[in-house]
Amino acid sequence: MELEYFLVLSAVLLCIGLYGVLVRRNVITVLMSLEIMFTAVTLAAVSMSRHVGTMKLVDSPAVISDPSVLSTLLTGQVLALFIIVVAAAEIALGLGIVIALYRSRDTVDVSQANLMSK
Amino acid sequence: MLFEEIIFWALSAGAVGAALGVVLLKDVFRSALLLIVLFLSIAGHFVLLAAEFLAVVQVLIYGGAISILIIFAIMLTQNIQQGNLANRLQIPAILLSSLLLAALIFVFLDTDWNLISNYKYETNIVNSAFKDTPATLASLLFENYALAFGLAGGLLLASIIGALSLVRGDQ
């Protein structure tokens, strides 16, 4: 598979998520759209890692067979793993804030969360 | 190759359809279920990209833990009947996200991605690196990225404590 297919798919997912973050008023849906954006970025990182391993180069490349250099082929996957960890921490905290908001204001509408503007 | 492409297009259609459903559906609970579909199809994409370990992690953490958390929060807030309202920003948001999409697709298709690296890898060595991804990932995580790995553990601990103290209430 070509790299561009995966990159375009991740761009489409990112923009759908962005639309959801901007438009939705239910804060749980906003968090879900954020998760879509996270997933899109993860997909881009993994596909880039695969691409660096399989591409053909044009300018007089040096042939490498050193294992320590070779393991850096998977750096994109390590990046994706850390994105997943941060997303898990973010969603746990975000849902905690949602529940605290619901307890104090009785709503999950982001446009109602305006204590500081009054 | 043809088989891979069929799988890719099926998974992509599922992912984009599910993402649109998450954003557009009125029912928050159905959005959460469609989010699981999206996560599982992305796990399929990871298998296509020779990242089997990440696919399993995706199914476990996203498909299992995060979606259960989201459904749990929806149940606790009990606001499903109100539905999934949109705010007044709808038209600017459509404009902004389609502009961003057009720009991203143009950049992705216009760039020569073969110029990223100075190395050329021998094919059989590359295949060996991608054959045993969990072992290679482990050596990367515990050697090159050991500090980041420890910091990620600290971050998870801090977020668990933060979430607990947020939902604990007044007592």
Side-chain angles (χ1 to χ4, degrees):
Chain A
M1 294 297 295
E2 294 291 318
L3 170 73
E4 283 85 358
Y5 288 107
F6 288 98
L7 287 181
V8 168
L9 173 66
S10 94
V12 171
L13 288 180
L14 187 88
C15 292
I16 293 174
L18 177 69
Y19 172 76
V21 168
L22 288 177
V23 157
R24 290 293 141 191
R25 275 167 52 184
N26 187 327
V27 67
I28 296 178
T29 316
V30 172
L31 278 176
M32 288 196 276
S33 311
L34 262 182
E35 289 301 312
I36 298 177
M37 294 175 82
F38 268 119
T39 311
V41 175
T42 316
L43 183 65
V46 176
S47 62
M48 198 62 88
S49 143
R50 181 66 178 153
H51 170 74
V52 174
T54 51
M55 66 187 182
K56 298 177 185 65
L57 287 169
V58 280
D59 293 333
S60 66
V63 176
I64 299 291
S65 58
D66 182 8
S68 65
V69 175
L70 201 69
S71 70
T72 58
L73 280 179
L74 293 185
T75 305
Q77 296 195 15
V78 174
L79 181 64
L81 210 56
F82 283 123
I83 295 174
I84 289 176
V85 169
V86 172
E90 171 260 336
I91 201 78
L93 264 184
L95 291 175
I97 294 173
V98 170
I99 290 173
L101 174 75
Y102 183 73
R103 276 193 185 150
S104 66
R105 310 292 312 269
D106 250 356
T107 180
V108 284
D109 193 333
V110 279
S111 56
Q112 303 281 315
N114 52 3
L115 264 182
M116 291 183 80
S117 70
K118 281 182 179 170
Chain B
M1 187 49 89
L2 183 66
F3 181 67
E4 266 182 39
E5 289 202 357
I6 293 171
I7 298 284
F8 172 81
W9 288 113
L11 287 173
S12 302
V16 172
L20 281 176
V22 170
V23 171
L24 297 178
L25 276 188
K26 282 259 178 270
D27 189 340
V28 187
F29 190 74
R30 287 194 185 140
S31 301
L33 294 183
L34 278 177
L35 194 68
I36 301 179
V37 176
L38 169 71
F39 289 153
L40 294 184
S41 23
I42 296 296
H45 280 118
F46 285 168
V47 174
L48 280 183
L49 289 165
E52 293 87 3
F53 180 69
L54 274 182
V56 174
V57 166
Q58 174 90 6
V59 171
L60 280 178
I61 296 184
Y62 277 110
I66 288 183
S67 35
I68 293 299
L69 259 185
I70 290 176
I71 290 174
F72 193 57
I74 291 173
M75 297 296 187
L76 273 182
T77 50
Q78 289 172 333
N79 234 342
I80 308 173
Q81 69 280 0
Q82 190 194 333
N84 198 356
L85 300 173
N87 60 15
R88 283 159 299 177
L89 281 175
Q90 211 151 6
I91 290 171
I94 289 178
L95 276 180
L96 183 66
S97 42
S98 42
L99 266 180
L100 180 67
L101 180 64
L104 280 178
I105 288 180
F106 174 74
V107 169
F108 285 159
L109 297 183
D110 199 50
T111 309
D112 186 2
W113 293 106
N114 288 327
L115 299 176
I116 287 180
S117 166
N118 289 319
Y119 297 125
K120 179 180 174 55
Y121 301 96
E122 289 170 357
T123 320
N124 53 341
I125 298 174
V126 167
N127 286 341
S128 75
F130 277 97
K131 189 181 273 174
D132 197 8
T133 37
T136 320
L137 268 183
S139 72
L140 266 182
L141 272 180
F142 291 115
E143 286 163 17
N144 303 22
Y145 298 97
L147 177 65
F149 189 74
L151 285 178
L155 175 73
L156 279 178
L157 181 68
S159 76
I160 289 171
I161 295 174
L164 276 180
S165 71
L166 273 174
V167 297
R168 199 179 52 150
D170 296 330
Q171 63 272 31

